[in-house]
Amino acid sequence: MDSAVNEIPSPAIYTGQFGDYTITQGDRRGVVLYRTGLVVAALAFGLGTVLALGFNQNSTLVQSISLLYTLFWLGLGLSLATIHIYLVPLHRALQGAWLVGGLASLALSHGIDGPLAQTVVETPAVLWGLGFTFVALTGIFFKEAFCFDRVETKLLTPLVPLLLLGHLFGMLPLVAEQTLLAGWAILFLVFALRKAVQPIVPDIGDKSVFAYLKQQRSNA
C-alpha cells in the first residue's frame, strides 16, 4: 500500500502581521460555537418579537417571551465566550455587560408580578439594568460591521441604541418602536444566517496579533 495514503496532511500555515500561525480544530470549533450562539439568539429574539407584536393580547404567549429572552441571553453568552476580539479589555467589557444585563433580568423576574416583556413596555426605566444585555449585543454588531463590512450590522449598530434609548426616554411613538423592533429582528436573523455560511478562517482572525498582544501584556 502506498505510504502516502496514510500520511496526515500538514496544517495550512498563514502569514499574519506579526508572524506565521496555523488554524487548529479548536479554533474552528470556537467559530462554530460562536455562530451557533448567534443563531440561537436570533431565532429566540425573532420569535419573541413576533409574539410581542402580533399576540400581545394573549397573556400566556406574552409570558413565554421571558423564556425566549432567557434562551436569547444564553445564546448571546455562548457567542461572547467564543468570539475572537483582539482587545481583551473590550472583550471583557462586553462579557461584563452581558452578565450585568442577565443579573438585572433575574432580579426583575423575581421582583415583578407580570411578564418581563410587559414590564419593559410599561416601565422603561428597567432598561437601566436589563439594557446592558443589548449593549453587549450591539458590541458584536459593531465588531462585525468593522471587521466584515456587513450592511445588516451597519444598520443594527445604531438601530439598537436608537430603539432602547428612545423607549427609555419616551422619545419614540409606539408605531416607530414597533417598526424598529421588527427591523431589528429581521436584520439580526439575516446576520446570523449569513454568518452560518461564511468561511470559518476569516472569523478566527490574525492569530499572530493575539500572540503579539499577549506578549505585550506579559512584558508590561
Side-chain angles (χ1 to χ4, degrees):
M1 181 180 293
D2 190 343
S3 60
V5 175
N6 296 321
E7 289 182 358
I8 299 175
S10 301
I13 298 177
Y14 300 86
T15 300
Q17 185 176 353
F18 297 99
D20 295 338
Y21 62 93
T22 59
I23 301 296
T24 68
Q25 283 302 111
D27 295 326
R28 295 177 180 276
R29 190 179 306 112
V31 173
V32 171
L33 291 174
Y34 167 63
R35 296 177 180 182
T36 299
L38 288 177
V39 171
V40 169
L43 289 174
F45 187 86
L47 182 53
T49 298
V50 169
L51 296 181
L53 296 180
F55 302 90
N56 54 22
Q57 301 302 316
N58 187 314
S59 59
T60 301
L61 292 179
V62 171
Q63 184 68 54
S64 69
I65 295 176
S66 298
L67 178 60
L68 290 170
Y69 171 81
T70 300
L71 189 60
F72 155 80
W73 184 79
L74 291 173
L76 179 60
L78 176 60
S79 293
L80 286 169
T82 51
I83 191 173
H84 289 79
I85 297 178
Y86 293 129
L87 298 178
V88 173
L90 175 59
H91 192 179
R92 296 292 178 261
L94 294 181
Q95 291 176 323
W98 169 82
L99 181 59
V100 170
L103 293 175
S105 305
L106 183 63
L108 281 171
S109 298
H110 286 84
I112 60 177
D113 295 328
L116 180 61
Q118 182 180 331
T119 301
V120 173
V121 171
E122 296 177 353
T123 313
V126 299
L127 288 174
W128 287 114
L130 186 149
F132 278 94
T133 297
F134 302 106
V135 170
L137 177 62
T138 304
I140 291 181
F141 292 152
F142 177 79
K143 180 262 184 188
E144 291 285 343
F146 181 81
C147 293
F148 297 104
D149 199 32
R150 293 192 178 280
V151 174
E152 62 271 20
T153 51
K154 286 183 176 181
L155 295 173
L156 284 164
T157 299
L159 185 156
V160 174
L162 174 62
L163 173 56
L164 296 181
L165 292 174
H167 181 63
L168 178 61
F169 295 109
M171 298 185 298
L172 296 175
L174 179 60
V175 65
E177 291 189 353
Q178 293 173 333
T179 301
L180 289 173
L181 181 60
W184 177 355
I186 293 170
L187 290 171
F188 189 9
L189 189 57
V190 169
F191 161 60
L193 293 179
R194 288 187 68 193
K195 287 298 293 183
V197 297
Q198 177 184 324
I200 285 181
V201 172
D203 244 356
I204 295 171
D206 183 347
K207 290 180 65 178
S208 73
V209 175
F210 287 105
Y212 173 79
L213 293 175
K214 183 177 180 179
Q215 183 180 31
Q216 292 295 103
R217 291 193 301 272
S218 299
N219 295 336

